[in-house]
Amino acid sequence: MEPSQSMFAAASGKRLNSRAIAAAAGVSQATVSNVLNHPDVVSPATYEKVMAVMESLDFVPNRSARDLRAGGGSALGLIVLDISNPFWGELVRGAEEVAAAKGQPVIVCSSEQSAQKEEQFLRLLESHQVSAVLIAPVAPDSPALRGARRRGTRLVFLDHADTAEDVISVGVDDVKGARMAAEHLLSEGHRQVAFVNGPRSISACRDRARGFLGAYTGAGPDARVTEISVPAMTGREGMAAVEALLEVTPAVSAVFCANDMLALGVLRGLSRRGVKVPEQVSLVGYDDSEFAEVLSPALTTVRIDPFEIGRRAARVALDLSPEEAGASPVVLEPHLIVRESVLPRQA
Amino acid sequence: MEPSQSMFAAASGKRLNSRAIAAAAGVSQATVSNVLNHPDVVSPATYEKVMAVMESLDFVPNRSARDLRAGGGSALGLIVLDISNPFWGELVRGAEEVAAAKGQPVIVCSSEQSAQKEEQFLRLLESHQVSAVLIAPVAPDSPALRGARRRGTRLVFLDHADTAEDVISVGVDDVKGARMAAEHLLSEGHRQVAFVNGPRSISACRDRARGFLGAYTGAGPDARVTEISVPAMTGREGMAAVEALLEVTPAVSAVFCANDMLALGVLRGLSRRGVKVPEQVSLVGYDDSEFAEVLSPALTTVRIDPFEIGRRAARVALDLSPEEAGASPVVLEPHLIVRESVLPRQA
DNA sequence: TTGTAGGCGTTATCAG
DNA sequence: CTGATAACGCCTACAA
């Protein structure tokens, strides 16, 4: 019976470290390190021997020590607005795919739109020496963010295509996306429409308003938009907005919602009141959530790709795309997905 | 002009550390550490002085060093099946709330139901010295999991109420939840029903099948369930299942789906074929997703609380609930949410 | 090719 | 109450 793993583990109360591996393999600690980090510099025989020992002892190196020694971190920080929203979930997946390929896990924080939590998480991530922080900022110019940057923390802004300062950002052109929705409605003859928007404090809402209202403003004197603002972009708020919506119906023949959840709520509210979509009122959403194509009627919406945003942001953060490193911001294209919820306006 | 932060930062090319703080405050490194970790043991005057310096210099301690010294980790690991699904997103939020209160961030990994990724992430988390791993296992008894436990990694199973071994687990009683759905349908007179289920390899699907079929089996000779199995629990698969569903309609007067996304797809598929819900076919979902109450008809479903699962699991993992530490597994109660998608069976 | 030695930033121990 | 010192596990010069 040779000295097996359990014997080793039992013998020493301490956790397995590279020194123990070295001892078991009859080499020095440095050689173990070389096997792990510079396999080319070690002889095949030694390599095999050390690898065998590591496997049989089930060795897992200690990142804290490695990071400390390296003076840097080996995890990617990520601060999103709401991890329970599939949009951000997809974004996390994208970031994770890229980070995992570089051997880095993703530390996810959900700020819940609280500036206080944002700051708290930011410091927590910094103390963990993350290699970078991808962040959807509650406010784009808080002291917390300034501080982080001053301390040398690498920051990548998400879903925030502002070309404001020297910040690196990856996002979608929401102005354009909303304009595409507007142009689609205009081309179907809808001159008087409603726009159910979230709070203007969210930059995405500002951009979508800019794009949508801009297109209608430029569409002639008879084109008019009634903007209805709700405090949160949820299905419930969408249903509540129907109250206000009915006051301007039937003058408006179509409704554009700042995201699909709002559109879902509006759809539900309207059908409760006996208003048929799209026969009486056309409806357009934003995001192309998973449920959009499966609604009745299937929702015409603007598709954005949070997975891709996450991927690109992580790439920039981890220096995998040098060509993008300088050219900030990275702006992705939205796509109009025409389904069944828009009909030409009845003359 | 006093020695300000920028001067310090500029003067030394190295990152700010506790030694620099000590020097700036005219105390020893150990005192700085005490200010941080044992404030009670340091004199108020010194405390204030050191704190002032730390704030003005914007000091963020290095966790890698702390963790290394402490011989443990200060982050919570979390492996979910699909981070883009709001169910898991909510669960992450719950875990994060608890962990953040203990100053620990959450490292999130999405296994995408791949055993290979699961193992890879598990090792990654272990190398990061996480204090524990909350995991929704792809398979409940893989060698990877055994290995992790052998290495002394603390594991908490999610959404997996098996009382199999000495594993700690936090989950929902899906057998009971599905039984509640069945009893509701039975009480409304639905004796012949269909059950659209996900793959049996997922333990939640097994449990839901057990509960639902069990209730019908015990409900008398005329009660019958047609089970339709689909490969993934998505809206698309739900729509596809309608094909098979129509073959057994109108014999079956109700459909139970293993989750809300499937129900959404079924709803859409049925309405496409001109089958009215709930007038012709009643429908029950599972999960109580955000969109459930906003559908037409509002979906009757079984509510489970992923946020609470995350909270409880993190508590157990971080030793905040000693009373639960021994009593594994923690099983949460599901709730039937009656809305509009079930009507008494027409005689 | 392999071994020796020093230090990354922090905390705990122990002496003053 | 405060300060000097050692150690955590690993990596990287440098020496052999």
Side-chain angles (χ1 to χ4, degrees), chain A residues 86-310:
Chain A
F87 175 88
W88 297 107
E90 286 279 357
L91 193 148
V92 172
R93 271 187 55 222
E96 184 180 271
E97 182 183 285
V98 172
K102 288 210 81 173
Q104 300 198 19
V106 177
I107 304 181
V108 176
C109 307
S110 189
S111 70
E112 313 295 320
Q113 302 195 36
S114 150
Q116 191 199 338
K117 283 193 177 180
E118 177 179 284
E119 171 157 18
Q120 192 180 325
F121 280 133
L122 198 48
R123 292 190 83 91
L124 194 52
L125 290 175
E126 290 188 83
S127 84
H128 274 269
Q129 310 295 111
V130 291
S131 45
V133 177
L134 312 187
I135 182 171
V138 173
D141 193 40
S142 69
L145 294 181
R146 294 188 171 290
R149 200 151 42 186
R150 183 158 24 74
R151 279 173 238 124
T153 299
R154 190 160 196 174
L155 252 36
V156 176
F157 282 21
L158 297 172
D159 195 26
H160 181 273
D162 267 7
T163 178
E165 299 180 44
D166 61 333
V167 301
I168 306 177
S169 79
V170 177
V172 168
D173 189 343
D174 278 334
V175 177
K176 182 168 179 181
R179 198 190 314 129
M180 291 166 76
E183 283 163 1
H184 180 60
L185 288 174
L186 282 166
S187 78
E188 298 292 329
H190 298 281
R191 314 290 300 176
Q192 304 225 14
V193 301
F195 171 35
V196 180
N197 196 14
R200 287 279 185 132
S201 59
I202 297 175
S203 75
C205 293
R206 273 200 307 280
D207 287 351
R208 289 167 201 186
R210 195 140 54 94
F212 193 79
L213 299 176
Y216 265 82
T217 302
D222 63 321
R224 203 175 328 254
V225 179
T226 306
E227 182 172 351
I228 297 170
S229 199
V230 297
M233 298 166 82
T234 64
R236 200 168 307 209
E237 290 298 335
M239 279 190 64
V242 167
E243 291 297 318
L245 225 40
L246 290 174
E247 291 180 14
V248 291
T249 307
V252 312
S253 59
V255 180
F256 172 54
C257 295
N259 81 354
D260 288 347
M261 281 309 300
L262 284 172
L264 181 57
V266 166
L267 181 60
R268 162 95 168 131
L270 288 176
S271 78
R272 276 227 170 146
R273 304 306 192 95
V275 179
K276 293 224 167 196
V277 176
E279 290 80 0
Q280 293 172 266
V281 175
S282 288
L283 185 62
V284 177
Y286 204 102
D287 278 357
D288 195 23
S289 304
E290 190 180 3
F291 58 78
E293 74 167 321
V294 97
L295 291 178
S296 292
L299 188 64
T300 289
T301 187
V302 177
R303 169 160 181 69
I304 60 187
D305 191 345
F307 184 81
E308 186 62 19
I309 298 178

Side-chain angles (χ1 to χ4, degrees), chain B residues 28 30-31 42-43 46 68-69:
Chain B
S28 86
T31 300
V42 61
S43 81
T46 315
L68 174 57
R69 167 67 214 202

Side-chain angles (χ1 to χ4, degrees), chain B:
Chain B
M1 194 190 202
E2 57 180 4
S4 75
Q5 163 186 10
S6 49
M7 283 183 61
F8 264 94
S12 66
K14 347 190 56 166
R15 282 234 275 295
L16 211 54
N17 57 21
S18 62
R19 170 139 57 238
I21 300 295
V27 299
S28 86
Q29 205 180 5
T31 300
V32 175
S33 178
N34 279 332
V35 167
L36 252 36
N37 306 303
H38 306 285
D40 49 310
V41 88
V42 61
S43 81
T46 315
Y47 180 85
E48 289 301 337
K49 186 172 57 178
V50 173
M51 280 303 266
V53 172
M54 291 200 305
E55 292 211 351
S56 79
L57 261 54
D58 213 14
F59 175 58
V60 179
N62 184 329
R63 290 263 181 162
S64 299
R66 173 201 273 265
D67 290 349
L68 174 57
R69 167 67 214 202
S74 55
L76 182 62
L78 182 44
I79 303 181
V80 300
L81 291 176
D82 175 13
I83 188 57
S84 64
N85 180 323
F87 175 88
W88 296 108
E90 286 281 354
L91 193 149
V92 172
R93 269 187 57 222
E96 184 181 270
E97 184 183 282
V98 172
K102 289 211 81 174
Q104 300 198 19
V106 176
I107 304 182
V108 177
C109 308
S110 189
S111 69
E112 314 295 321
Q113 301 195 37
S114 149
Q116 190 198 339
K117 282 193 178 182
E118 178 179 284
E119 171 158 19
Q120 193 180 325
F121 280 133
L122 197 49
R123 293 189 84 91
L124 195 52
L125 290 174
E126 291 188 83
S127 84
H128 275 269
Q129 310 294 114
V130 291
S131 45
V133 177
L134 313 187
I135 181 171
V138 173
D141 192 41
S142 67
L145 294 180
R146 295 189 169 289
R149 201 151 42 186
R150 182 157 26 74
R151 280 171 237 126
T153 298
R154 190 159 196 174
L155 252 36
V156 176
F157 282 20
L158 297 171
D159 195 28
H160 182 272
D162 267 6
T163 178
E165 300 182 42
D166 62 332
V167 302
I168 306 177
S169 79
V170 177
V172 167
D173 189 342
D174 278 333
V175 177
K176 182 169 179 181
R179 197 189 316 128
M180 292 166 75
E183 282 162 1
H184 179 60
L185 287 174
L186 283 166
S187 76
E188 297 293 328
H190 298 281
R191 314 290 299 174
Q192 304 225 13
V193 301
F195 171 35
V196 180
N197 196 14
R200 287 278 186 132
S201 59
I202 296 176
S203 75
C205 292
R206 273 199 307 278
D207 288 350
R208 289 167 202 185
R210 194 139 55 93
F212 193 80
L213 299 176
Y216 265 81
T217 301
D222 63 322
R224 202 176 328 253
V225 179
T226 306
E227 182 172 350
I228 298 169
S229 200
V230 297
M233 298 167 82
T234 64
R236 201 167 307 207
E237 290 298 334
M239 279 190 64
V242 167
E243 291 298 318
L245 224 40
L246 290 174
E247 291 180 12
V248 290
T249 306
V252 313
S253 60
V255 179
F256 172 54
C257 296
N259 80 354
D260 288 347
M261 280 308 300
L262 284 172
L264 181 55
V266 166
L267 181 59
R268 162 92 168 133
L270 287 176
S271 78
R272 275 228 170 146
R273 303 307 191 97
V275 179
K276 292 224 168 196
V277 177
E279 291 81 359
Q280 294 173 263
V281 176
S282 288
L283 185 63
V284 177
Y286 204 103
D287 278 357
D288 194 25
S289 304
E290 190 180 2
F291 59 77
E293 75 167 319
V294 96
L295 291 178
S296 292
L299 188 66
T300 289
T301 187
V302 177
R303 170 160 180 69
I304 59 186
D305 191 345
F307 184 82
E308 187 61 20
I309 298 178
R311 281 175 50 102
R312 297 288 281 272
R315 279 231 195 84
V316 171
L318 301 177
D319 254 331
L320 288 176
S321 68
E323 75 277 8
E324 285 162 355
S328 173
V330 176
V331 180
L332 303 180
E333 291 296 307
H335 299 280
L336 181 71
I337 307 292
V338 176
R339 296 206 177 92
E340 308 167 350
S341 61
V342 174
L343 243 39
R345 179 190 170 206
Q346 314 294 1

Side-chain angles (χ1 to χ4, degrees), chain A residues 27-28 30-31 42-43 46 68-69:
Chain A
V27 298
S28 84
T31 300
V42 59
S43 83
T46 314
L68 175 58
R69 166 67 210 197

